[in-house]
Amino acid sequence: MKLSFNVDHFASLRQARRANEPEPVLAALLAEQAGAAGITAHLRGDRRHINERDLRMIREAIKTKFTVEMAATAEMKAAATTVRPDVVCLVPEKPEELTTTGGLDVLAHRKTLKPHIQALTRAGIKVSIFVDPSLTQIRAIAELGVRKIEIHTGIYADAPFGPDREKALDEIRTAAAAAARLGLEVTGGHGLGYHNVGPIVAIPEMTELSIGFAIVARAAIVGVDRAVRDMVALLNPRRAR
Ligand code: PXP
C-alpha cells in the first residue's frame, strides 16, 4: 500500500507566524527518502497553508507522484494547469471548515464538473475525486470518465469503537469493491493515523492512502523520517519486521 504524504500542516505551522519556515518542500523530500510514494498538498481558496510557491517548489523537487487537492473552480484550474501536478484530486471546499468535511457531491455538480475534468485531462493531469463511500456517487464518477477516486475515510476515523465505526468501515469496504468492479483506481484518506489505519490497509482494493495530520503531528516530536517510516511500515505489514 502506497503512502501519499500530505504536507499541508508544515505550511499551517509556517503561516501561524506568517514566517518563512518550515518549508513544506523540505518535509516532502525527507518523506520521499523515508519511503513515501507520493506527496499531496491542498491549495485552498484562502491560502491558509499551501500557496502557489509551495506547489512550484514541490513540483520541481520531488521525484515521486505529486497530487494537488483543490476545489473545482476556474482559479484552481488555472493553478493546476500552471503547476501541472501528476494528479488533481477534486474536493469540496467550505471557507469556514477546519478541514475537508466530506466528499464531493458529483451528482449535484455533474454538469459543471464535466468541462472542468476535461480541461485538466487535456492538460495531461490525471483527475481523482474525493468521494463519500456512496455507490451512487461512485457510479456518477465512473460515468464522468474519471478513473481514480479517494474514498473519504473521515467518518470511520472519527467514530468511537463500536457499531458506528464498524458500519463506517463496512461502507468503505463495499464502496472500494464496487469502485474496483467499475475499473476505478481506489485510494482513501482523511483522519487516518497510526492507531486506526490497520483496517483500511486490509481492504484489498485500496492502493494508496493520503495521510497528513497524524504524520505531521508525530513528526513534530520524532522527526519526519521516523514518522514517515513508521507509517510506511503500517501500510506494508508483510514487509515489516
Ligand atoms: N484527503 C483529502 C481529500 C483531504 O482534504 C485531506 C486533508 O487535507 C486528507 C486526505 C488528509 O487528511 P489528514 O490530514 O486527516 O490525514
Side-chain angles (χ1 to χ4, degrees):
M1 175 87 61
K2 290 179 180 159
L3 169 67
S4 191
F5 175 42
N6 181 318
V7 294
D8 290 355
H9 294 302
F10 286 100
S12 301
L13 186 56
R14 179 187 65 197
Q15 296 312 111
R17 285 290 176 94
R18 304 279 184 273
N20 56 13
E21 61 182 357
E23 290 281 19
V25 65
L26 184 52
L29 289 171
L30 290 170
E32 275 193 340
Q33 248 177 229
I39 300 299
T40 298
H42 185 167
L43 186 67
R44 281 185 168 269
D46 62 10
R47 308 295 190 276
R48 68 172 73 156
H49 39 52
I50 293 290
N51 57 37
E52 278 89 340
R53 173 179 168 273
D54 294 320
L55 297 186
R56 286 195 303 274
M57 289 172 74
I58 295 169
R59 171 72 293 179
E60 283 274 312
I62 69 167
K63 292 158 217 68
T64 58
K65 189 171 63 181
F66 186 27
T67 301
V68 176
E69 297 169 358
M70 51 174 48
T73 62
E75 182 200 14
M76 291 298 150
K77 185 167 63 187
T81 51
T82 305
V83 173
R84 291 178 180 264
D86 301 291
V87 180
V88 159
C89 180
L90 296 174
V91 300
E93 201 171 288
K94 300 187 200 96
E96 71 283 3
E97 68 193 359
L98 273 182
T99 181
T100 316
T101 50
L104 190 61
D105 187 347
V106 180
L107 287 166
H109 300 106
R110 221 182 322 222
K111 278 214 180 78
T112 47
L113 280 173
K114 195 164 187 162
H116 193 90
I117 290 164
Q118 284 168 345
L120 292 174
T121 308
R122 268 199 308 277
I125 300 165
K126 186 169 192 169
V127 175
S128 173
I129 293 188
F130 185 56
V131 64
D132 289 329
S134 146
L135 302 187
T136 46
Q137 292 287 346
I138 289 169
R139 265 185 233 113
I141 289 173
E143 280 162 19
L144 276 172
V146 171
R147 310 313 302 156
K148 181 171 184 168
I149 57 167
E150 180 181 327
I151 298 178
H152 179 217
T153 54
I155 305 293
Y156 155 78
D158 292 342
F161 275 98
D164 287 354
R165 189 181 194 258
E166 284 312 306
K167 180 170 171 282
L169 186 56
D170 259 348
E171 285 173 1
I172 296 169
R173 287 193 191 112
T174 306
R181 279 197 298 277
L182 290 167
L184 303 183
E185 186 183 340
V186 182
T187 74
H190 211 280
L192 298 176
Y194 300 87
H195 305 291
N196 65 12
V197 80
I200 301 293
V201 171
I203 298 174
E205 294 84 7
M206 283 283 176
T207 57
E208 176 185 300
L209 296 178
S210 170
I211 306 178
F213 184 82
I215 299 176
V216 176
R218 186 171 286 203
I221 307 296
V222 303
V224 174
D225 187 81
R226 171 78 186 278
V228 170
R229 279 183 203 280
D230 286 353
M231 186 58 82
V232 168
L234 289 176
L235 265 51
N236 297 283
R238 266 162 290 154
R239 279 202 315 206
R241 284 137 291 149

